[in-house]
Amino acid sequence: ANTMVVGKNDVDIWRSFIQFDFDGFNPSYIVTESYLRLYYRDVVPSEIKLELLLADSEWQEHNITHLNRPSPIDLVTNEFTVNKEQGYIEFNVFDITNQWIDNLRENNGFVLRVANESLPGQASFYTRETNSPPELVVKYYDSRIFSQGRSQVTTEIFIERHAEND
């Protein structure tokens, strides 16, 4: 699927699930900023309020269904910025990213939904099967000093991983 939808119509309520893998992330990296970036299809309806929450259990990209999907727990944020030039919305996920990297919380990924699932309306985003997949933008520096007088260079990495609709 190259679209993930959140929202509601007459029949269905849609949520989207997004997960990133930190297995290769070096423990000596100090994260300074972290953002979830979702590229939208068409327009993000301004009247729709989106929420980013944590998933309460593990899920697999290819066998998630409406019946077995994880439940959303713990609101991460309900605020995002819109970049109209590049067509994405961005959530600040600094705190939870650090908890996942430090293994303080289990990483079952994010659940994206509309804040009020009783109101009609929806928004669509591109999945990883497209040229504009969900991105986790992590800015960090390496806490190891390799040579005298070397300054810390902030690096940006884009982690791309599965995003799935039920």
Side-chain angles (χ1 to χ4, degrees):
N2 51 21
T3 306
M4 54 183 188
V5 181
V6 294
K8 179 184 188 297
N9 66 7
D10 297 339
V11 186
D12 291 309
I13 292 173
W14 298 287
R15 296 173 181 168
S16 291
F17 298 83
I18 307 139
Q19 189 169 36
F20 299 93
D21 187 350
F22 291 96
D23 289 351
F25 204 81
N26 192 306
S28 69
Y29 295 164
I30 307 296
V31 175
T32 57
E33 294 176 56
S34 181
Y35 300 96
L36 173 65
R37 196 173 279 179
L38 301 175
Y39 291 86
Y40 54 84
R41 298 185 80 103
D42 311 320
V43 294
V44 166
S46 53
E47 71 276 6
I48 283 197
K49 292 183 166 46
L50 298 171
E51 290 183 336
L52 193 65
L53 300 102
L54 299 180
D56 72 343
S57 57
E58 285 184 43
W59 53 276
Q60 261 67 47
E61 178 176 6
H62 296 295
N63 58 17
I64 191 168
T65 67
H66 193 80
L67 292 175
N68 71 10
R69 68 183 185 178
S71 297
I73 51 166
D74 295 359
L75 181 71
V76 176
T77 180
N78 56 9
E79 294 177 15
F80 58 89
T81 55
V82 180
N83 183 320
K84 290 197 168 116
E85 290 73 43
Q86 297 186 42
Y88 63 75
I89 65 170
E90 196 169 72
F91 296 91
N92 186 334
V93 293
F94 175 76
D95 290 341
I96 188 60
T97 300
N98 272 315
Q99 290 176 38
W100 285 338
I101 290 169
D102 295 339
N103 290 314
L104 299 174
R105 285 200 72 151
E106 199 172 350
N107 177 5
N108 294 315
F110 297 111
V111 182
L112 181 69
R113 70 176 184 189
V114 293
N116 187 339
E117 291 184 321
S118 62
L119 292 176
Q122 63 202 60
S124 319
F125 301 93
Y126 291 101
T127 63
R128 73 175 184 135
E129 284 80 19
T130 67
N131 292 329
S132 304
E135 293 170 341
L136 192 67
V137 183
V138 178
K139 297 184 180 183
Y140 67 92
Y141 64 87
D142 194 328
S143 60
R144 297 166 296 182
I145 303 292
F146 295 101
S147 64
Q148 211 78 59
R150 178 190 159 138
S151 63
Q152 296 295 1
V153 178
T154 300
T155 316
E156 236 180 90
I157 53 170
F158 293 87
I159 307 176
E160 294 173 7
R161 191 121 155 123
H162 25 258
E164 204 48 49
N165 249 344
D166 55 18

